[in-house]
């Protein structure tokens, strides 16, 4: 019930606080026989770490992953895969003054009310630093999925009012990592960066959207009733700090459509059942239909104001949230990919 | 993994198909000592049933709940509470012709691909009729919550482009059941009804939004990391047929705000910690903060076109979805309300 | 937590009380594509029902199974399989007098203390009648296992001091159903029956052992640490009414042996790895090794004294417990048989 | 499903291999507000460690616990409590020769068959070294229980044929740690030690029984059907390496009794409901009744023969298994102690 575990078959349990010994994760249910090394995980951790660019926080944490168990001679054994990153900075002085106050729109008040005792250093368990654990687990999931032909990507599609409006099939994912905002469309990226710089210079913060995009997903992932693929994706995304909304396929924008426009008609091509349009976002009846899966994740502007903590926080968390969105999507997919082995007889 | 169970402590398992023997639910974890009778459940079932008004399907199903276990002399015993409604109409002729085809934007194709064998009668397990089971369980949850001072409501806030724009605290919930669209604002309701009638007469369907609103929620419900209160609410809503999106508090609309505008400042009044604004939607760090919780649920226009099945389907499912949204919200809340008993020591 | 669900992948939830509407079960996770009819389940229910012979209770309950969901045209669809038997006798008069008293060694006191409210009619939820639900689910599990070549059997191996001492490979299972005590060895069976009759005539009760025997189990079922195959079998058996102990392989009797005697040496025969002896009981490191699995289940003499309730209770529950032991073993095995699909990659 | 997690509300997940980086555990669901320090855990780890006495293995591992998360200023915060011990000796040379062979009655063969890839160093994940993780978690559970007035003890009650025959209420637990075999009765202890020395000198191993004894358990722990308190205790014990059997209360020895002898009659004393005898072992209908809980755990002679590995293995694992039995019992009890908060309303 305490909610630090995610997934059913590929079960991920995270632990650690912002200013404790480190941030870790245990994966129970990682199948045996996967080649796995720290080098599979480090790149995503690097995409998540602070201090990457001028538009992120200037704190410089080098998060170095260590695999603690579950791997022997470079391959998983079926035993739990534990990984962690040690915290470099366990000092607590900077945060001492906040121990007694409730910062607006932070978790300080609710944690205090719920538990009666909390770790105030850097937000303790409520710090976005916890997402480092998710990214480690997600990299393992992504590696499994890649072997199964599934490509999981995320990118920044909106910052404040600046929207990326190109259709998915016109996007070039290789361009995404070439700008600090992780938007695969250079013109929009430039505008987003400018807006973030402006907000940063005003000591403020800004929100936006990350879009998730999954290609190559086989038909049949997801369960019909409560554990629909998109319901699990939604929960996964909403569990990320600062997320306020999720939609997939036609989403909130499909509300105004008529049923006769919205239906995705089936046709067969190259021996594969496909749909002409994809308002369904690749999921029908809670189960993947083989088309691209896509969804939007809405992030609020984060609460820690830079006015008070110059350079120590992100004016816009979205670029660093991209690997977290990918990680959580991968965890959901690998869970259902395993689940799909269980039926039929 | 098969996903027909919802909840951790108040565990709800549903069963049954559209044209099988009936639709049922087992609640495991319902605390002992709750006064419970069929009359607590029937009103919500009646709000969900087809044939209520001119703007819903004209099929006339009277769903009569039977409590099968877990209640002795009018009070729950702590044993599983099983309930069901028998299906009146188990004929399958009308649907025989669809057994061999995949209806656009339905679950036919994905079920067939996943399971290799499916019940095509009325959509079988994928039918929205399954929500009758959720409503039964939700009514039990709502009764527990009511005793704890928590009021769970939902209403239709948007149909197509017609939006209800009044702030929550100006709404009069008692007006909601006085119009067939379940919108608590008579003028907007009238416009919505007119639009639905227009769409119905064209043999088409239309989507919209249901808003959930929870008052009186105590501080402390929700868990910090994966099982955040809003993440569980999001999953719950996304598991309802035809739902494509969920947001809470400032949601997708908060994207354009600056952090300095968006922060909910604390103040104390009447010995209670409150916030001046409520962009957080009553949830901070995944945990309820005692303010009103509110969220939006986006429904697509349903896929079954009335052109083909005149009078047998809803031109707009939202009015009948209202009790389902309430039920799912209540299931999430009661689960976390129980969970809140587990910590601290 | 409330504990009415068993299993992880093949999840069985039971409901119902001795004198309520009926006893039911929902299986979530039954793979699609299994041919299933009431006639697959009824025979085991008949072996469990009261009134079968002179040495069981003389109450005559005909338990007639109904499949409520999850089966279409004779095959499972992957949706929850719900089944139940209606209770014939819902009268409660006979039990009214016990509502206010705590019967020795029954659950009356602990239920009352825990829940504050209980159904006293026939023991309510604590009645062994609840095992009818397990038998229904177990029959489905046995059918799946049979298709996988796994044979699950149980038999009475001890009543009071009378022990069946033949080694397993000398037993003829076909003889088991030819005597009312369900012991596959006619001479021992006769002695057991005589002892039970003697005890019955004295208005008393007697305990004993049921042995479980699983043949054809593939290598690899079970998980290494907490969910060892024998740990799950043990929990399954200990969850049956009146059970006080469980051991497998050499069990309590292996205590006196030396390690050098107890080791099961490997050899290869017919291309299959086997062990010369089988003190391990077919399970090593928590995982099946392909040899026969066998275990003992110790039943206490039941508490309801016949002196008070002549003919209404079993002097010895073991013959009727045989199908329950088989059912629970089958539930454990099918769960791990499904689990074995999840690893390796 | 992968089975490295134990418990429902106080969820314990273990990781690590015998010769990997270390052995660790994450507790999710530990209530906030518990005073906790390494010094609470170290004593039990010391009781478990190799090299304690002449009758245990002569390997000298000093297992030093480190708390990695979940504790701030000496008190738990409600966040996951992660703990681990680093392995001192990660060399693998000694075990290289066994990588290609299947040791009799070990997990080598079944792991290889199940996973296709395994860590052979010191048994990898199947090593009894994994129980260090259980002991760490168990110490936390014991501390919570102690504050609730529940005392959890275990002791060696049988080695080979040498049995401790004193009734529980005549035993003096304080004497238990004064002899290397952890039997609280000095005369029996001496005989047990002599037998173990004899077996050790012959390069062999011997089994026996550990008895668990729980005093001060409140009424109401346990759930009625599958999660009976004794069923969970049984599973917990059967999940320990080398365990072959479990019984509680009258256990296997109660088989020969008549119901009229076996019934525990209720009486009231000092305002508390008690039973005259305690054949039930403190549990009725799966729920604790406030009397002492006691149970036996049967250990086989371990398979690693000292002939081959002189001084590196225990001739009798029981003395070191005592803290493991206590730990597992404590995990079960604290889980149900928390669960007992959930009902009634």
């Amino acid at each position: 019930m305490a909610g630090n575990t995610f997934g059913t078959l590929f079960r991920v349990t995270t632990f650690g606080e912002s200013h404790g010994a480190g941030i870790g994760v245990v994966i129970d249910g990682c199948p045996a026989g996967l080649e796995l090394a720290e080098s599979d995980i480090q790149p995503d951790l690097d995409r998540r770490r602070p201090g990457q660019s001028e538009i992120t926080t200037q704190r410089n944490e080098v998060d170095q992953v260590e695999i603690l168990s579950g791997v022997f001679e470079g391959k998983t054994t079926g035993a739990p895969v534990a990984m962690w990153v040690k915290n470099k900075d366990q000092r607590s002085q900077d945060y001492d003054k906040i121990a007694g106050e409730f910062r607006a729109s932070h978790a300080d008040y609710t944690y205090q009310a719920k538990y009666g005792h909390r770790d105030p250093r850097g937000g303790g368990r409520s710090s976005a630093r916890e997402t480092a654990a998710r990214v480690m687990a997600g990299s393992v999931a992504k590696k499994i999925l890649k072997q199964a032909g599934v490509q999981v990507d995320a990118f920044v599609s909106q910052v404040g009012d600046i929207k990326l409006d190109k259709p998915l099939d016109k996007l070039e994912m290789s361009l995404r990592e070439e700008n600090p905002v992780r938007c695969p469309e250079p013109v929009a990226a430039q505008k987003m960066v400018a807006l973030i710089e402006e907000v940063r210079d005003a000591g403020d913060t800004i929100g936006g959207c990350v879009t998730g995009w999954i290609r190559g997903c086989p038909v049949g992932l997801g369960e019909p009733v409560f554990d629909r693929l998109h319901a699990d994706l939604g929960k996964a995304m909403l569990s990320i700090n600062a997320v306020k909304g999720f939609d997939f396929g036609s989403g909130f924008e499909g509300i105004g459509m008529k049923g006769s426009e919205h239906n995705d008609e089936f046709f067969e091509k190259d021996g594969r059942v496909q749909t002409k349009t994809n308002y369904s976002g690749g999921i029908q009846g809670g189960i993947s239909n083989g088309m691209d899966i896509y969804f939007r994740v809405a992030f609020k502007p984060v609460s820690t104001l830079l006015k008070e903590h110059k350079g120590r926080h992100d004016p816009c968390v979205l670029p660093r949230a991209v690997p977290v969105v990918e990680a959580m999507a991968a965890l959901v997919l690998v869970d259902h990919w395993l689940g799909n082995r269980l039926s039929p007889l």
Side-chain angles (χ1 to χ4, degrees), chain A:
Chain A
M1 188 66 206
N4 297 285
T5 294
F6 189 82
T8 300
L9 302 175
F10 191 89
R11 293 181 72 78
V12 167
T13 302
T14 73
F15 62 89
E17 290 87 18
S18 174
H19 284 60
I23 299 285
V25 63
V26 184
I27 306 172
D28 196 21
C30 183
L34 176 73
E35 293 192 8
L36 191 69
E38 271 101 354
S39 56
D40 291 310
I41 293 143
Q42 195 61 46
D44 279 327
L45 269 183
D46 292 342
R47 293 167 78 210
R48 196 213 72 92
R49 81 175 178 85
Q52 292 173 61
S53 76
E54 299 245 315
I55 61 168
T56 58
T57 163
Q58 297 307 301
R59 275 176 303 149
N60 209 333
E61 293 165 14
V62 181
D63 288 333
Q64 192 71 43
V65 62
E66 284 176 68
I67 296 177
L68 301 177
S69 69
V71 175
F72 178 66
E73 294 185 343
K75 281 205 296 190
T76 57
T77 62
V81 176
M83 298 175 285
W84 83 327
V85 293
K86 279 185 197 145
N87 286 336
K88 286 289 182 306
D89 182 1
Q90 300 186 33
R91 286 170 312 149
S92 62
Q93 301 91 304
D94 305 358
Y95 297 88
D96 273 1
K97 65 176 160 142
I98 59 164
E101 70 179 63
F102 301 140
R103 291 168 297 163
S105 290
H106 279 78
D108 303 333
Y109 167 63
T110 50
Y111 273 52
Q112 187 65 41
K114 184 177 183 73
Y115 298 111
H117 177 62
R118 76 195 157 90
D119 180 350
R121 300 168 302 165
R125 183 70 179 150
S126 74
S127 165
R129 185 150 177 69
E130 181 269 338
T131 57
R134 306 181 184 208
V135 167
M136 290 186 268
S139 297
V140 180
K142 281 204 276 186
K143 187 155 190 195
I144 293 171
L145 292 168
K146 199 165 189 179
Q147 294 189 5
V150 187
Q151 178 68 27
V152 177
D153 280 297
F155 55 87
V156 173
S157 53
Q158 183 173 354
V159 172
D161 295 327
I162 302 169
K163 263 191 189 178
L164 168 61
D165 270 330
K166 260 194 190 165
L168 282 172
D169 56 7
K170 299 274 179 275
L171 294 176
E172 191 57 68
M173 271 306 115
S174 61
L175 301 176
R176 177 187 51 183
E177 300 294 317
E178 300 200 347
N179 60 71
V181 78
R182 292 207 167 91
C183 169
E185 208 284 301
V187 180
Q190 209 168 2
K191 288 186 201 161
M192 290 171 179
V193 171
L195 174 57
I196 294 171
E197 285 174 342
E198 184 192 313
V199 163
R200 179 197 62 196
D201 294 345
D204 216 327
T205 61
I206 186 88
C209 269
V210 172
T211 291
W213 184 22
I214 296 148
R215 287 170 284 180
C217 183
V219 187
L221 272 54
E223 300 294 331
V225 176
F226 296 114
D227 297 351
R228 293 172 198 235
L229 186 56
H230 57 266
D232 280 352
L233 284 169
K235 171 164 177 172
M237 299 308 145
L238 288 157
S239 78
I240 301 172
N241 277 16
V243 172
K244 305 293 282 184
F246 168 89
D247 67 3
F248 75 107
S250 58
F252 276 94
E253 287 163 14
I255 290 174
M257 294 171 78
K258 302 277 160 60
S260 52
E261 302 167 76
H262 191 279
N263 275 355
D264 293 324
E265 269 179 63
F266 287 106
F267 70 105
E268 220 174 307
K269 194 182 155 185
D270 309 331
R272 223 188 97 209
V273 173
Q274 303 187 42
T275 59
K276 286 183 190 167
T277 49
N278 185 13
Y279 295 115
S280 300
I283 304 172
Q284 291 177 326
I287 298 170
S288 62
N289 68 358
M291 302 297 290
D292 282 7
I293 295 170
Y294 60 97
F295 54 85
R296 289 189 308 158
V297 187
F299 286 78
K300 69 168 186 176
V302 287
S303 318
T304 307
L305 294 192
L306 300 165
K307 286 164 191 156
E308 299 161 26
H309 301 285
K310 273 275 183 207
R312 291 193 61 91
H313 289 272
D314 292 278
C316 178
V317 294
L318 279 80
R320 289 177 54 212
V322 163
V324 183
V325 167
E326 290 176 0
M328 293 307 299
L331 293 182
V332 170
L333 285 164
V334 87
D335 210 38
H336 283 286
W337 180 77
L338 286 169
N340 206 27
R341 295 181 174 188
L342 299 174
S343 186
L345 272 189

